[in-house]
Amino acid sequence: MNFRRFDNKRPDFERLEEIFAVLAKYEFIDIVKKTGLKNTFGRIFRSRKNFVEELDASAPERILLVFEELGTTFIKFGQILSMRPDIVGVDIANELAKLQDNVPPDSFKSIKKEIENELGRPLDEIFQKFYEVPIASASIAQVHMAILHDGTRVAVKVQRPNIIDHIKKDLIIMRYLGGLLERRISNLKYYNISGVIDEFERAIIKELDFELEARNMEKFGSYFENNSHICVPKNYKHYSTIRVLTMDYVKGVKITEIEGSGVKADGPTLAKLGAECYFIQIFKYGFFHGDPHPGNLLVKDGNVLCFIDFGIMGHLDMDFISILMELFVYIFDNDVNGIINQLLYMEIIDDSIDIQSLKYDLIDLLDEFYGAEIQNIGGFINEFSAPDLIEKYKIQLPKDFILLGKVLNLLDDIGLGLDPNFNLIDVAEPLIQKLLAKRLNPLNILNYKTQYLFELQHISKDLPRTISQTLLKAKKGEIGIEMRLESLDKFSIKLDKMVDRISIALIISSLIVGSSLILQSGRGVPIPALGFSTIGSIIFIIATILAIILVVNILRR
């Protein structure tokens, strides 16, 4: 599934006009003006009947309203941006995190047709019973309960008809507007709007691919198959396609609604269980559920936590996990120097920045989120990802590092809702220390023996040829040494100026000495009043003036 072939397609101007009308309605007319298309859609601004008068809402709140009104694609885009405080800022990111894509369901007739087209059979041949009223309805898909012919109760997630065409249309417009704004607003180039839209495209393509979601679900489930307190639905492959996903039906309540629900579960126990589960996902497997809002975390009797919706997953490289754990240890210890050194090692910052200034900003952040007791590490990461710090210190954050901050922040909020005394760090610290000790064990090198053997094989295979090629180049005189000195051009210019001054000084000195000899010799036509040689006097005067000019220039510098 690839949308890139639609890059150069002309945008749908009817949809574009609708987007501009919504922007104008919520007092974002300046954005439209900066695209240079105001005259093209002038009638939007001449008619104010759809405008919201005297909005009391803040800019972030109005942005939320814009995304909600523009529908599926923009709701999903807003949800992605809510995970990028480095681009939109913490306030807007927090507001966009409220986006919910609950929309009215499509008709049962259209959903029935979609399932039958995908699975290639009549609905009654596939299911013993299919419930027409959906149990959930979102912008991309809706979920229906059904019963297989063997009596198994399942949940069937069905993609909305024509949703892909709708998303393609909006993506073309996004790229069109993004390109216009990047060309017209120079500061936007730093935020790489085109790159953000590409990232969104990749994310939404993954969400539209239910086969990928099924694989994510199976992989995630394999990590916790022996944990009786973690529940992951089973995928039924024979009843699933890229647009239809059939899985176990999970009967549970949202993790934020267990009080008074009748479910036998304990809040503090669930808070600790959820946190431990997430830190195992992050630091042990490097593969974590990227959308832990309450609707995706269900609870069953006996403190069983069920994960659903595996469309957004985070991935961390194993080498990155090790250095990330080290960073967390420095944060736990409030060790600002350690944090900075680790950020340098991770190449998130470089040593060309003002390290002392960064140190003060980190101290302020630690004081804001931790104070005397370490608490919200997700909030710390989100604030560190804010645009002002990103720009000030040229911070380069991996995409999934930012997603990690968002996930940890959500976990902290959910944990505190279950247990007022919950502290995410109390759960994380001992687990991270244990995993770090295991990774730092010298015997751990045996885990990498296959990788090392392959690398040694490659070296032994390539070494003779490399040596032969090097010796041949040396014999032909083709080996050279390339040196690069910092600020060499500036030094060369200064050196040229110094040489020029010395040359001028030598010329002036020669003129003074020469004119003095002429004056002493008495040769040449004498000046009547003084009796000195005319030529010698003229040369002496010119040399003196040049000497004065040279001295003045030197003193000025």
Side-chain angles (χ1 to χ4, degrees), residues 10-14 16-18 20-21 32-46 176-177 180 184:
R10 182 180 173 85
D12 184 323
F13 275 83
E14 186 177 337
L16 187 57
E17 182 175 359
E18 181 185 336
F20 281 170
V32 182
K33 289 179 180 177
K34 286 174 182 176
T35 64
L37 297 174
K38 184 186 174 185
N39 293 335
T40 307
F41 298 95
R43 61 196 181 93
I44 293 174
F45 307 96
R46 289 191 292 272
Y176 176 69
L177 293 179
L180 286 176
R184 292 173 174 271

Side-chain angles (χ1 to χ4, degrees), residues 284 433-444 447:
K284 186 174 182 180
Q433 295 284 9
K434 182 180 178 180
L435 289 172
L436 264 179
K438 184 178 179 180
R439 287 179 183 269
L440 294 174
N441 188 331
L443 294 177
N444 200 41
N447 295 333

